[in-house]
Amino acid sequence: MMKAEGLSGGYGDSRLINNVSLTVEKGEFLGILGPNGSGKTTLLHLLTGTLPAKEGSVYLDGKPLADYKPKELAQIMAVLPQKTDQAFTFTVKETVAFGRYPFQTGLFRQQTEKDEAIVQEAMEQTGVAAFAGKSIRDLSGGEQQRVYLAQALAQQPRILFLDEPTNFLDLAYQKELLDLIKRLTRENGLAAVSVFHDLNTASLYCDELLFMKNGTAGPKQKPEYAVTEHHIKAVYDTDVTTLVHHSSPKPMIAIQPEKDSVKQQPIPFESLLQTGHDDILLQTEIPLRTLSSTPVGAGFSWSRTLIHKRLPIQSDPIEGLTAYLSENGFHLPETCAMASPGRLDRFVHRTYEDGELSVLICVMTGFSIWILINGYAADQCFVRALMTAEAERMKVLGDGRAEGDILIAATQTQQSENTEKRLNQLIQIGTAECVKEAAELFE
């Protein structure tokens, strides 16, 4: 569809882009990313021909971009810039209709019924049909951006260039705009090239990503390979953490704020435990990173409140816990809850320490287990801790009695190096001892 070879250029005597090569295929959504001043918008101008290249060439459908006449190029390519200044007062419909100009012929360039239908469809696709008769100057920045996207779509381009298209748009319209572009690439074969600032948005929507720095560009890559902690740190010179999206394989990133220089004191878990016949409750001022197999709040979360509730044997644990939480003013995901049918005023709890690392292990009726860590645990450490606790519980009890839920919670305060092995040892020893003691107590 489009190919750039050895592209270099800039404004005046400056050279902001150096030797960039890339391809864009039919139906592909390519995202261009990089820090401010890296040359993203300049590259877009070189690719669209609005800025002549000092070196290199751009080909569209195998033909040099410079060989296209402006009207001919406008029938293939559309551009949505960051911001468009409106010098004259036109209605929304008139503005969108300018997108049909490259296809009109004759002295008076009248719109045909086909043009009218295409303009109407573009306005409906972008959600601006409701104010078709309003002056574009009377619209908000986000509404104007959608009008200019409708104008670009009215050209029915085969390749669409966008420069930070979600600027000025609220969250709902960002999603609608990008969903529309993605759908057009998938269903109509539209090629789309867009500059992004938001790495997570680009990762979710783009098929390929191209990162720029200091006017140069690396190879385009799929988001799964491009959005890594090492790569993002190299491009942006900042620390980030990769995250897993709950419904997409596309990777996400989060920036890492500067660490507080004041050392956080350990949480006195044992003194915070509130116990009764029907529930065990622990509440903290700071949220705890949690992983649980509980019916309410399962999986990874951040919780300030941990609850173990006694429920009748025949009751549905999800319905029972949900009703209990609602009646007592507890809210998800700040609350992690589990349930068992037996009395909760008898349970085993013991703290295990190794230097600055401490772990409180609680074993309740039904042999549910809480493992509360004063320290930092990586995600794999949470999973390993849960598996270790389950294995030790089954070793002591056998398969038939090891049915309770397991909760791992950590303060995530930074510790010295090599704590994972020590932490796993504390959990392994502590779980075995506490489960054995609980088995004797509950008999």
Side-chain angles (χ1 to χ4, degrees):
M1 180 73 192
M2 173 170 276
K3 183 178 182 180
E5 294 181 337
L7 208 55
S8 298
Y11 304 94
D13 295 331
S14 65
R15 182 175 294 227
L16 303 179
I17 300 297
N18 293 292
N19 195 31
V20 172
S21 298
L22 61 88
T23 60
V24 184
E25 306 298 335
K26 179 181 178 181
E28 179 182 320
F29 195 170
L30 172 65
I32 300 175
L33 299 116
N36 290 337
S38 60
K40 302 184 297 295
T41 297
T42 304
L43 176 60
L44 217 62
H45 287 314
L46 292 173
L47 293 174
T48 58
T50 55
L51 180 66
K54 296 182 185 299
E55 292 179 8
S57 302
V58 179
Y59 299 89
L60 183 59
D61 284 343
K63 179 179 176 180
L65 199 67
D67 291 352
Y68 283 89
K69 296 178 181 178
K71 188 174 179 181
E72 183 184 11
L73 188 62
Q75 293 179 359
I76 303 173
M77 175 193 297
V79 181
L80 180 65
Q82 277 190 35
K83 183 170 173 50
T84 303
D85 294 322
Q86 183 68 52
F88 302 98
T89 300
F90 292 103
T91 67
V92 167
K93 185 175 181 180
E94 288 169 339
T95 303
V96 176
F98 288 144
R100 297 305 300 160
Y101 177 82
F103 299 92
Q104 294 169 358
T105 58
L107 182 61
F108 298 103
R109 301 184 181 276
Q110 295 295 316
Q111 279 197 207
T112 65
E113 290 184 4
K114 179 182 178 181
D115 292 328
E116 287 282 348
I118 292 171
V119 168
Q120 185 64 32
E121 181 183 15
M123 290 193 298
E124 290 173 356
Q125 284 179 320
T126 53
V128 299
F131 34 83
K134 291 182 66 173
S135 168
I136 192 167
R137 286 188 172 181
D138 294 336
L139 305 183
S140 68
E143 289 169 337
Q144 289 181 7
Q145 187 77 341
R146 287 154 51 205
V147 171
Y148 291 120
L149 174 62
Q151 182 187 90
L153 294 180
Q155 289 179 233
Q156 294 190 315
R158 286 160 44 202
I159 185 166
L160 174 64
F161 290 89
L162 309 103
D163 194 356
E164 298 181 35
T166 55
N167 274 4
F168 314 111
L169 298 181
D170 62 32
L171 199 60
Y173 283 122
Q174 287 183 36
K175 181 182 182 306
E176 287 187 13
L177 182 148
L178 292 171
D179 281 347
L180 171 61
I181 294 171
K182 186 65 176 178
R183 188 164 59 250
L184 291 173
T185 61
R186 184 176 59 247
E187 298 176 359
N188 296 3
L190 173 72
V193 180
S194 179
V195 169
F196 285 96
H197 261 307
D198 189 329
L199 272 74
N200 289 335
T201 299
S203 178
L204 279 174
Y205 281 93
C206 293
D207 303 302
E208 302 278 346
L209 299 178
L210 183 85
F211 282 89
M212 298 193 67
K213 187 174 183 179
N214 299 325
T216 62
K220 69 177 186 180
Q221 294 178 295
K222 294 187 180 301
E224 295 91 318
Y225 305 115
V227 183
T228 65
E229 291 179 9
H230 176 76
H231 189 209
I232 300 305
K233 183 174 182 177
V235 173
Y236 289 90
D237 297 317
T238 191
D239 291 328
V240 298
T241 300
T242 53
L243 307 172
V244 178
H245 194 280
H246 75 282
S247 62
S248 170
K250 301 291 187 72
M252 304 283 98
I253 63 99
I255 60 173
Q256 286 279 35
E258 184 179 17
K259 297 296 181 184
D260 195 333
S261 59
V262 178
K263 187 174 181 179
Q264 183 178 303
Q265 295 300 312
I267 295 177
F269 286 129
E270 286 199 70
S271 64
L272 293 177
L273 285 172
Q274 303 175 43
T275 63
H277 289 287
D278 294 324
D279 55 35
I280 298 174
L281 175 69
L282 186 143
Q283 292 180 295
T284 67
E285 292 184 2
I286 68 165
L288 304 174
R289 176 72 162 156
T290 60
L291 172 64
S292 78
S293 60
T294 63
V296 177
F300 280 104
S301 187
W302 288 90
S303 306
R304 296 176 187 268
T305 302
L306 311 179
I307 294 174
H308 191 142
K309 172 64 179 168
R310 178 183 182 182
L311 293 175
I313 295 177
Q314 301 300 326
S315 65
D316 182 284
I318 296 179
E319 292 181 2
L321 285 174
T322 302
Y324 171 79
L325 296 178
S326 178
E327 291 167 4
N328 290 274
F330 296 113
H331 305 283
L332 297 175
E334 285 198 345
T335 301
C336 187
M338 62 174 62
S340 63
R343 289 174 54 183
L344 295 175
D345 56 344
R346 294 190 307 161
F347 70 101
V348 175
H349 60 95
R350 188 182 297 179
T351 297
Y352 296 82
E353 297 180 330
D354 182 351
E356 61 183 355
L357 189 65
S358 69
V359 178
L360 172 65
I361 297 179
C362 303
V363 180
M364 296 88 162
T365 56
F367 296 98
S368 292
I369 300 174
W370 283 2
I371 298 175
L372 311 181
I373 303 166
N374 267 303
Y376 178 82
D379 284 358
Q380 65 266 25
C381 190
F382 273 88
V383 175
R384 189 173 290 111
L386 192 145
M387 294 172 64
T388 297
E390 176 66 21
E392 292 302 317
R393 182 174 65 174
M394 291 181 64
K395 191 183 299 182
V396 174
L397 301 175
D399 294 349
R401 299 171 66 191
E403 296 179 350
D405 293 306
I406 298 176
L407 164 69
I408 315 293
T411 59
Q412 296 303 76
T413 50
Q414 291 297 328
Q415 303 288 329
S416 57
E417 297 295 324
N418 303 317
T419 60
E420 184 173 338
K421 184 177 180 180
R422 292 158 49 206
L423 178 59
N424 199 54
Q425 289 172 342
L426 289 181
I427 293 171
Q428 186 174 14
I429 294 169
T431 302
E433 291 181 353
C434 289
V435 170
K436 185 177 180 180
E437 185 178 338
E440 296 172 355
L441 178 64
F442 299 157
E443 284 181 354

